[in-house]
C-alpha cells in the first residue's frame, strides 16, 4: 500500500469507525472475551526522531462466546494507519481506557476494532495492525534518597538509546495476556538490539541492521533495548550468554560473562534447567536493574561498579526462573521475596559463608525495623510492587525471611523439591500464594494453612526476645532503640534537621547538592551552622555536614561521640584506626547527646575532592555506624558495640 493510499484508508476508516462501531459487547466477569496468543511484529526504529513504525500480526482466540469486536491497548502517541483481517480493511476507533483498568490511562488508550464477520467461540484468527508515532519519555531521576529505584520512564527512543517495554504500550496488547513473540527490528547500521528468547538472525546492511528475536515461550510482555553496543558471547552448555556493552565498558564483558556462567550453573542445579536459549546482559542508558525473560538491563553506573554480586546480577538471573518463567498471578507478589531469598541470601549459604548469611538475615530484620512502623505495617499478601522503602522491607525482605522460616519448617529436602516442582509445573503460567501453599503442602506431605495464615495473610512479626534468636532465624521486630546508630535512623525519623557548614565557598560547596536533595523530603529542615539553634539540635535527628567546619553545631554534637572516636579538621579516628590525608572522608553516626532516641550523623571530607564523590551517594551507606572513604571508595565500615 502506498503512503497516499494508506493515508486515505486511515481517514476513511476513522470516519466509518466512529459512526459504525457498536458499543462493546458486555463481557462475562468470569472469563475474558478473547486472549492474545502470538505477536509477529516488524518494527523500524529511528532514534534521531524518537519515532517507530510497527506492523503487528496478532493471533487472537475468542473466549466462550461469539466475538464481534475486540479492544486492544496502545500508546496514545502511536497512530494506527489501518487494521486488516486476511487483507480486508476493518473499521476501528480509539476510546479512553475504562476507569478501573490496569493500564496507565495517561499513556494508553484502546483501539476498538469491528470484525468483518463474527469469530466463533473458541476460534482463532489474526489481525494486522499498522501504526507509527513518537516514543519520547526521557528518563527522570529517582525520587528516593536511599532507596534504589531505576530512573523513571515509560519508554524512550532517542540517540542515547532505546527502551520500550509493556509499560510503553508499543504494540497492541490486552491486560493479563500471555503470548509468544517473534519480532524483526530494524535500527541504524551501527546499532544492536537486545530482545527476548532466541536470536534467530542478524543482518547488517547500508539501510540498517535487521535483527530477529523469537520468544517461543509464553510471556507477560515484550521489552526491546537498543544502542551502539559492543557484543561479546560465551557458551555455557546449551545456553549462549552475551553482553551488550557500550564501548567504554566493553572491557568488562569477560567479568560479567564469567559471573553469569557461575550463577546459571548454580541455580540450574537448584531450580531445574535454565528455561531460555540465551541470557544477555545489556547496558542501559539510564539507571536500572531490570530482569526480562532471557536478559537483564543494568545502568551504565552499575556496570562500571562491577555489578556482579548475588544481590545484583545473581538476583536478575534467578528471575529467569522466578518471575520471568513462573509468573505472579496478579494478586500478592511472592516473586520478589523468593528471588531475594535465593539470590541475595541463599548464595552465601551455597558458598559456605555462614557469617555473611547471618549478616544478611540481620539486615532483613533491620530493614523492617527501620522502615515499617507498627501502624504502617501490612500483610505480605498485599504486596504487589515496590514504590518506597516500606514496600521493599515487606515485599522483599520480610517475604524472603518467611521463605527462610518455611524452609526450616519443612526441611531442606522438601523445600527445594517444592521449588523444582513449582518451576516444572508452573513454567509459562501464573501462580499465587494459594497455589504456593497447596504445592508446598503437597510436597511436604502436611497442611501448611496455619503457617501461611500467620505469615502471609497477617501483618506483624514474631514476639521473640533477641537472646532467644541470636542468629536471626525468626522474623521478629527489633526495637528501634536497640539498633546501632546509623544514617538510616536519621532517614526514618519523623523530625530531621540538616546543618550545613558556614564560611568559604570551598568549605560549603561539597555539601550543597546533598542538602538540597534532602530538603525536598518531608519533615526535614535545613540551616547553616552559624545560626545558634542548640535547642533545635536536641529535638531532632541531625545530619551534620562539614564536620568540624560546622562550628558550634559540631561542638555540641561531639559530646555524643562514642569513646575512642575522634573527628578533627586534619584527620579522624574511628574503628580503632587513625586516618589522615586529603583523599579521606568519613560518615559516623551516634546517639543525639540530648535525646538518645535520636541520632546524629556527621559527614565530611578532609578535602573538597574527598567529600564530593561520596556526597552524591551518601544515602547508599546508611546501614553502619561508621564508613570510611578513600578517593570515594569504602575502605572501612562497622557498627557501634
Amino acid at each position: 500500500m502506498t503512503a497516499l493510499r494508506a493515508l486515505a484508508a486511515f481517514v476513511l476508516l476513522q470516519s466509518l469507525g466512529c459512526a459504525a462501531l457498536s458499543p462493546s459487547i458486555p463481557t462475562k466477569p468470569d472469563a475474558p472475551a478473547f486472549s492474545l496468543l502470538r505477536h509477529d511484529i516488524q518494527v523500524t526504529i529511528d532514534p534521531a526522531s524518537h519515532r517507530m513504525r510497527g506492523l503487528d500480526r496478532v493471533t487472537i482466540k475468542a473466549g466462550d462466546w461469539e466475538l464481534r469486536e475486540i479492544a486492544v491497548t496502545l500508546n496514545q502517541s502511536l497512530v494506527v494507519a489501518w487494521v486488516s483481517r486476511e487483507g480486508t480493511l476493518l473499521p476501528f476507533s480509539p476510546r479512553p481506557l475504562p476507569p478501573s483498568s490496569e493500564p496507565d490511562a495517561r499513556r494508553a488508550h484502546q483501539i476498538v476494532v469491528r470484525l468483518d464477520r463474527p469469530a466463533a467461540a473458541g476460534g482463532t484468527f489474526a489481525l494486522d495492525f499498522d501504526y507509527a508515532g513518537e516514543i519520547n519519555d526521557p528518563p527522570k531521576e529517582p525520587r528516593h534518597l536511599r532507596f534504589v529505584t531505576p530512573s523513571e520512564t515509560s519508554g524512550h527512543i532517542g540517540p542515547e538509546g532505546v527502551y520500550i517495554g509493556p509499560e510503553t504500550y508499543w504494540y497492541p496488547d490486552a491486560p493479563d495476556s500471555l503470548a509468544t513473540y517473534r519480532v524483526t527490528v530494524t535500527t541504524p547500521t551501527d546499532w544492536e538490539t537486545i530482545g527476548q528468547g532466541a536470536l534467530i538472525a542478524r543482518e547488517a546492511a547500508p539501510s540498517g541492521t535487521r535483527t530477529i528475536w523469537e520468544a517461543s515461550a509464553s510471556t507477560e510482555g515484550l521489552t526491546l533495548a537498543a544502542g551502539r553496543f559492543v557484543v561479546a558471547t560465551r557458551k555455557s552448555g546449551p545456553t549462549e550468554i552475551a553482553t551488550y556493552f557500550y564501548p567504554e565498558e566493553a572491557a568488562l564483558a569477560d567479568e560479567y560473562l564469567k559471573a553469569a556462567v557461575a550463577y546459571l550453573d548454580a541455580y540450574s542445579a537448584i531450580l531445574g534447567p535454565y528455561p531460555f536459549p540465551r541470557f544477555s546482559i545489556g547496558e542501559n542508558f539510564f539507571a536500572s536493574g531490570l530482569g526480562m525473560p532471557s536478559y537483564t538491563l543494568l545502568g551504565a553506573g552499575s556496570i562500571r561498579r562491577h555489578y556482579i554480586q548475588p544481590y545484583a546480577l545473581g538476583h536478575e538471573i534467578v528471575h529467569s526462573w522466578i518471575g520471568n518463567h513462573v509468573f505472579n498471578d496478579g494478586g500478592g507478589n511472592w516473586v520478589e521475596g523468593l528471588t531475594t531469598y535465593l539470590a541475595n541470601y541463599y548464595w552465601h549459604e551455597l558458598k559456605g559463608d555462614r557469617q555473611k548469611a547471618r549478616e544478611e538475615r540481620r539486615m532483613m530484620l533491620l530493614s523492617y525495623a527501620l522502615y515499617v512502623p507498627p501502624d504502617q505495617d501490612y500483610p505480605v499478601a498485599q504486596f504487589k510492587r515496590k514504590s518506597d522503602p516500606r514496600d521493599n522491607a515487606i515485599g522483599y525482605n520480610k517475604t524472603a525471611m518467611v521463605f527462610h522460616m518455611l524452609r526450616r519448617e519443612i526441611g531442606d529436602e522438601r523445600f527445594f523439591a517444592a521449588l523444582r516442582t513449582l518451576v516444572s509445573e508452573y513454567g509459562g503460567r501464573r501462580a499465587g500464594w494459594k497455589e504456593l501453599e497447596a504445592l508446598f503442602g503437597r510436597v511436604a506431605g502436611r497442611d501448611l494453612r496455619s503457617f501461611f495464615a500467620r505469615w502471609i495473610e497477617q501483618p506483624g512479626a514474631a514476639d521473640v526476645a533477641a537472646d532467644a534468636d541470636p542468629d536471626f532465624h525468626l522474623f521478629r521486630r527489633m526495637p528501634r532503640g536497640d539498633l546501632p546508630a546509623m544514617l538510616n535512623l536519621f532517614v526514618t525519623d519523623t523530625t530531621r534537621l540538616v546543618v550545613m557548614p558556614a564560611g568559604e565557598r570551598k568549605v560549603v560547596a561539597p555539601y550543597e547538592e546533598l542538602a538540597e536533595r534532602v530538603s525536598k523530603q518531608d519533615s526535614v529542615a535545613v540551616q547553616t551552622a552559624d545560626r545558634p539553634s542548640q535547642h533545635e539540635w536536641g529535638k531532632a535527628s541531625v545530619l551534620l555536614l562539614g564536620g568540624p567546619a560546622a562550628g558550634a553545631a559540631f561542638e555540641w554534637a561531639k559530646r555524643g561521640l562514642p569513646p575512642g572516636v575522634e573527628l578533627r579538621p586534619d584527620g579522624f579516628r574511628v574503628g580503632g584506626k587513625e586516618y589522615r590525608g586529603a583523599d579521606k572522608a568519613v560518615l559516623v553516626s551516634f546517639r543525639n547527646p540530648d535525646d538518645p532516641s535520636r541520632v546524629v550523623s556527621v559527614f565530611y571530607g578532609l578535602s573538597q575532592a574527598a567529600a564530593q564523590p561520596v556526597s552524591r551517594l551518601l544515602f547508599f551507606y546508611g546501614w553502619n555506624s561508621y564508613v570510611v572513604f578513600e578517593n570515594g571508595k569504602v575502605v572501612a565500615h562497622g557498627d557501634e558495640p
Side-chain angles (χ1 to χ4, degrees):
M1 180 179 288
T2 66
L4 183 60
R5 288 178 62 201
L7 178 61
F10 168 68
V11 173
L12 175 63
L13 288 170
Q14 290 288 11
S15 62
L16 288 174
C18 290
L21 288 180
S22 63
S24 61
I25 299 171
T27 60
K28 297 179 182 179
D30 57 343
F34 63 91
S35 56
L36 307 187
L37 303 182
R38 181 172 175 83
H39 296 262
D40 287 278
I41 305 173
Q42 299 176 46
V43 58
T44 301
I45 294 173
D46 180 20
S49 65
H50 309 289
R51 293 183 63 82
M52 61 160 283
R53 181 183 178 184
L55 179 62
D56 186 5
R57 172 161 291 178
V58 188
T59 302
I60 302 165
K61 182 178 181 180
D64 295 335
W65 61 97
E66 187 178 80
L67 190 65
R68 291 190 172 91
E69 69 180 33
I70 69 159
V72 294
T73 54
L74 193 68
N75 194 302
Q76 295 177 18
S77 299
L78 298 176
V79 176
V80 178
W82 49 266
V83 182
S84 71
R85 179 183 183 183
E86 297 176 356
T88 299
L89 294 174
L90 304 179
F92 64 92
S93 177
R95 73 178 179 198
L97 287 164
S100 60
S101 67
E102 179 68 23
D104 190 340
R106 296 170 301 174
R107 301 188 181 100
H109 61 176
Q110 287 186 330
I111 303 297
V112 185
V113 181
R114 181 74 177 182
L115 301 181
D116 56 333
R117 60 186 184 276
T124 60
F125 59 97
L127 297 182
D128 292 321
F129 291 80
D130 187 314
Y131 56 98
E134 185 177 293
I135 301 296
N136 187 9
D137 181 17
K140 305 168 191 65
E141 285 298 311
R143 296 165 291 172
H144 304 285
L145 289 173
R146 166 59 186 83
F147 178 55
V148 183
T149 56
S151 298
E152 294 165 2
T153 176
S154 63
H156 184 66
I157 295 173
E160 65 274 38
V162 171
Y163 170 83
I164 50 176
E167 69 276 20
T168 313
Y169 310 107
W170 65 275
Y171 55 87
D173 202 5
D176 300 322
S177 65
L178 288 175
T180 62
Y181 297 83
R182 185 182 180 95
V183 58
T184 302
V185 190
T186 302
T187 60
T189 53
D190 55 346
W191 284 56
E192 301 285 350
T193 300
I194 316 172
Q196 294 172 200
L199 176 60
I200 302 299
R202 177 193 175 277
E203 179 185 2
S207 59
T209 300
R210 182 170 169 269
T211 311
I212 303 175
W213 292 87
E214 175 83 38
S216 57
S218 297
T219 187
E220 294 179 301
L222 181 64
T223 300
L224 292 181
R228 293 183 174 89
F229 299 128
V230 177
V231 183
T233 61
R234 177 175 298 182
K235 275 282 195 177
S236 176
T239 305
E240 184 170 52
I241 306 171
T243 56
Y244 290 75
F245 289 173
Y246 292 114
E248 295 83 356
E249 284 72 55
L252 298 174
D254 188 64
E255 177 182 352
Y256 280 84
L257 292 171
K258 188 181 298 184
V261 168
Y263 288 125
L264 286 168
D265 288 350
Y267 289 110
S268 293
I270 294 170
L271 298 169
Y274 176 68
F276 304 103
R278 186 181 178 94
F279 181 77
S280 302
I281 305 164
E283 182 175 359
N284 209 353
F285 61 94
F286 59 86
S288 66
L290 302 170
M292 277 70 69
S294 78
Y295 76 100
T296 184
L297 275 181
L298 307 176
S302 297
I303 295 289
R304 294 187 201 110
R305 290 196 296 272
H306 308 276
Y307 201 67
I308 62 171
Q309 302 89 341
Y311 63 80
L313 182 60
H315 186 100
E316 304 305 339
I317 285 177
V318 170
H319 270 314
S320 299
W321 288 269
I322 309 299
N324 290 325
H325 182 54
V326 180
F327 309 114
N328 276 316
D329 71 345
N333 181 344
W334 55 271
V335 157
E336 291 299 349
L338 181 54
T339 302
T340 298
Y341 183 64
L342 293 174
N344 305 40
Y345 168 76
Y346 185 65
W347 180 260
H348 303 295
E349 281 202 34
L350 274 179
K351 294 302 172 183
D353 192 341
R354 298 178 63 184
Q355 186 57 38
K356 181 60 177 173
R358 179 183 184 274
E359 178 62 13
E360 286 298 317
R361 296 192 298 269
R362 185 181 80 94
M363 290 295 292
M364 290 174 183
L365 299 189
L366 270 181
S367 170
Y368 181 78
L370 283 165
Y371 291 110
V372 188
D375 62 342
Q376 296 180 28
D377 203 353
Y378 64 81
V380 162
Q382 293 180 13
F383 169 72
K384 290 195 174 183
R385 62 182 61 87
K386 178 171 65 174
S387 59
D388 58 37
R390 180 184 64 156
D391 295 331
N392 189 71
I394 294 173
Y396 286 64
N397 294 326
K398 177 180 178 179
T399 309
M401 282 296 297
V402 169
F403 279 111
H404 182 66
M405 293 190 297
L406 177 60
R407 175 184 160 204
R408 290 168 63 84
E409 178 84 10
I410 66 176
D412 279 18
E413 183 178 348
R414 293 182 177 88
F415 179 81
F416 290 108
L419 292 185
R420 289 188 291 274
T421 303
L422 173 67
V423 171
S424 65
E425 291 188 2
Y426 283 92
R429 299 168 56 200
R430 292 189 172 91
W433 281 115
K434 288 183 178 179
E435 286 76 18
L436 263 66
E437 178 183 340
L439 187 149
F440 275 95
R442 168 162 54 92
V443 175
R446 52 180 287 199
D447 188 344
L448 294 172
R449 174 88 286 264
S450 60
F451 181 93
F452 277 78
R454 169 64 185 92
W455 291 110
I456 305 303
E457 298 167 9
Q458 299 176 24
D463 185 14
V464 177
D467 56 3
D469 181 35
D471 288 324
F472 309 102
H473 285 297
L474 295 175
F475 187 75
R476 54 185 171 84
R477 180 175 291 279
M478 301 168 70
R480 192 176 174 91
D482 292 350
L483 305 182
M486 63 181 82
L487 180 61
N488 280 339
L489 283 171
F490 164 85
V491 170
T492 55
D493 203 338
T494 54
T495 305
R496 294 178 282 169
L497 179 63
V498 179
V499 180
M500 282 280 290
E504 300 177 44
R505 174 72 184 166
K506 66 179 182 180
V507 174
V508 177
Y511 312 105
E512 285 181 322
E513 181 184 349
L514 174 61
E516 182 181 358
R517 286 173 57 217
V518 181
S519 69
K520 296 176 182 178
Q521 304 296 304
D522 294 335
S523 70
V524 177
V526 179
Q527 62 178 232
T528 55
D530 55 0
R531 174 183 168 188
S533 306
Q534 183 168 345
H535 67 285
E536 297 179 21
W537 303 333
K539 297 178 181 178
S541 282
V542 178
L543 174 58
L544 198 153
L545 302 175
F554 176 74
E555 293 301 318
W556 163 82
K558 74 178 187 180
R559 294 189 292 117
L561 285 174
V565 177
E566 298 178 14
L567 305 177
R568 306 181 305 276
D570 64 339
F572 49 87
R573 182 175 181 79
V574 65
K577 187 175 179 180
E578 186 78 22
Y579 296 91
R580 293 177 181 270
D583 58 350
K584 304 295 192 303
V586 66
L587 169 65
V588 60
S589 300
F590 46 91
R591 296 292 165 178
N592 186 309
D594 292 338
D595 182 357
S597 69
R598 302 185 185 276
V599 70
V600 175
S601 293
V602 178
F603 169 64
Y604 74 106
L606 300 185
S607 71
Q608 181 174 346
Q612 196 80 51
V614 179
S615 181
R616 292 191 292 269
L617 299 170
L618 188 68
F619 288 91
F620 289 89
Y621 305 108
W623 295 103
N624 294 111
S625 298
Y626 69 88
V627 187
V628 179
F629 306 90
E630 182 178 297
N631 293 318
K633 295 183 178 179
V634 175
V635 294
H637 60 86
D639 295 321
E640 65 180 9

